Amino acid sequence: MSSELVYEMRNLRKVYGAMGNYVEALRGINLDVRRGEFLAIMGPSGSGKTTLLSIMGLLTRPTSGSLKILGRDLESLKDKQMTLLRRKTIGFIFQTFNLVPWLTAAENVELALAIGEYRGNRRRRVMELLESVGLRGREKHRPSELSGGEQQRIAIARALANDPSIILADEPTGNLDSASGMQVMEILRRLVREGRTVVMVTHNQAMAEMSDRIVRIRDGVIEGEVISSVRA
């Protein structure tokens, strides 16, 4: 794991609503994430972990505090710059897969390439990505013809379409049986070995322990962190 910081967060706060009727989702988060690290974020529902992941994914801005991503200060970025940085740098994996139901596996992955304005041979890239998640030969199947584990692996291939250096995963094994969940976790571990940074929100302690470090959040604050057994 590199000493280079991918994320630097200082006193990060996020408030929803207006004065007199507001919710403080994050209440002063201080957190660094290094290149090549696999970080798991845990906490009860409503703890702020998904809000934190959304800010890290450049989908929303904090109310106050500072965030640097790859050395760039979020406050200095205009919305269009945020979109371009997110598109080139970050891949997202969701609990509900978010595949387009009427498109085939290959078409779902190719859609990400089109959005990212990939300039190479898209068909070749799609086949490489599907093979990397063990789904070569399933490219013509639609989501309804695939198992949950296969759908999530398609979603991972889609997240990797534009070769992001950061992967953000929100409960990536939450809708999967244990065997399929382990397959997904092994893929995430491989991505880390390849040098990518993975940040995962999860409720699953066993899955979290496959990360390098576990950060626990409650009521919008970090209440503690541990180095997982993978690195211990």
Side-chain angles (χ1 to χ4, degrees):
M1 183 170 53
S2 169
S3 61
E4 179 184 351
L5 291 179
V6 173
Y7 287 104
E8 299 175 70
M9 291 167 250
R10 298 293 180 266
N11 199 29
L12 213 61
R13 307 176 77 89
K14 181 64 178 179
V15 177
Y16 295 103
M19 290 296 293
N21 184 26
Y22 65 89
V23 174
E24 204 169 12
L26 299 177
R27 299 189 295 124
I29 297 292
N30 294 289
L31 181 64
D32 291 338
V33 184
R34 300 188 180 281
R35 183 179 296 278
E37 181 175 15
F38 190 170
L39 175 69
I41 300 174
M42 300 192 73
S45 296
S47 61
K49 56 188 186 299
T50 297
T51 296
L52 178 59
L53 201 71
S54 179
I55 291 173
M56 294 173 75
L58 306 182
L59 296 172
T60 187
R61 294 180 183 268
T63 303
S64 63
S66 68
L67 168 66
K68 288 185 179 180
I69 175 171
L70 297 171
R72 300 183 67 178
D73 194 328
L74 179 62
E75 190 174 356
S76 70
L77 299 177
K78 299 182 185 301
D79 288 347
K80 185 175 181 179
Q81 292 174 311
M82 275 180 62
T83 299
L84 290 173
L85 182 60
R86 179 174 64 245
R87 186 181 297 168
K88 293 179 178 180
T89 307
I90 303 171
F92 294 90
I93 303 169
F94 303 96
Q95 179 178 354
T96 53
F97 319 138
N98 288 5
L99 300 177
V100 181
W102 57 86
L103 297 182
T104 66
E107 289 167 343
N108 266 282
V109 177
E110 187 170 359
L111 180 61
L113 291 172
I115 292 172
E117 300 178 350
Y118 183 78
R119 300 186 184 280
N121 186 311
R122 290 183 185 172
R123 179 66 178 175
R124 182 183 302 123
R125 178 65 175 157
V126 167
M127 291 300 104
E128 289 173 351
L129 289 164
L130 292 177
E131 186 167 4
S132 75
V133 296
L135 288 176
R136 187 71 180 260
R138 305 290 274 171
E139 59 269 14
K140 295 182 180 180
H141 290 68
R142 289 181 170 80
S144 62
E145 300 170 318
L146 299 168
S147 70
E150 288 173 329
Q151 289 184 63
Q152 189 61 294
R153 283 186 280 155
I154 295 296
I156 293 173
R158 179 188 58 191
L160 295 172
N162 293 294
D163 198 26
S165 59
I166 301 167
I167 297 293
L168 301 181
D170 192 356
E171 297 282 0
T173 65
N175 284 342
L176 306 180
D177 60 76
S178 57
S180 297
M182 286 300 295
Q183 285 182 315
V184 166
M185 292 302 297
E186 288 297 340
I187 292 173
L188 295 181
R189 287 295 313 166
R190 190 192 75 219
L191 297 178
V192 171
R193 290 194 298 271
E194 292 171 355
R196 290 183 173 86
T197 303
V198 175
V199 180
M200 174 182 71
V201 163
T202 183
H203 281 101
N204 190 311
Q205 180 69 35
M207 298 304 178
E209 288 176 355
M210 294 183 68
S211 70
D212 298 322
R213 180 166 55 121
I214 303 170
V215 168
R216 296 185 182 277
I217 295 181
R218 182 179 294 273
D219 297 328
V221 299
I222 294 177
E223 63 175 8
E225 64 175 75
V226 296
I227 303 299
S228 79
S229 58
V230 172
R231 289 184 53 206

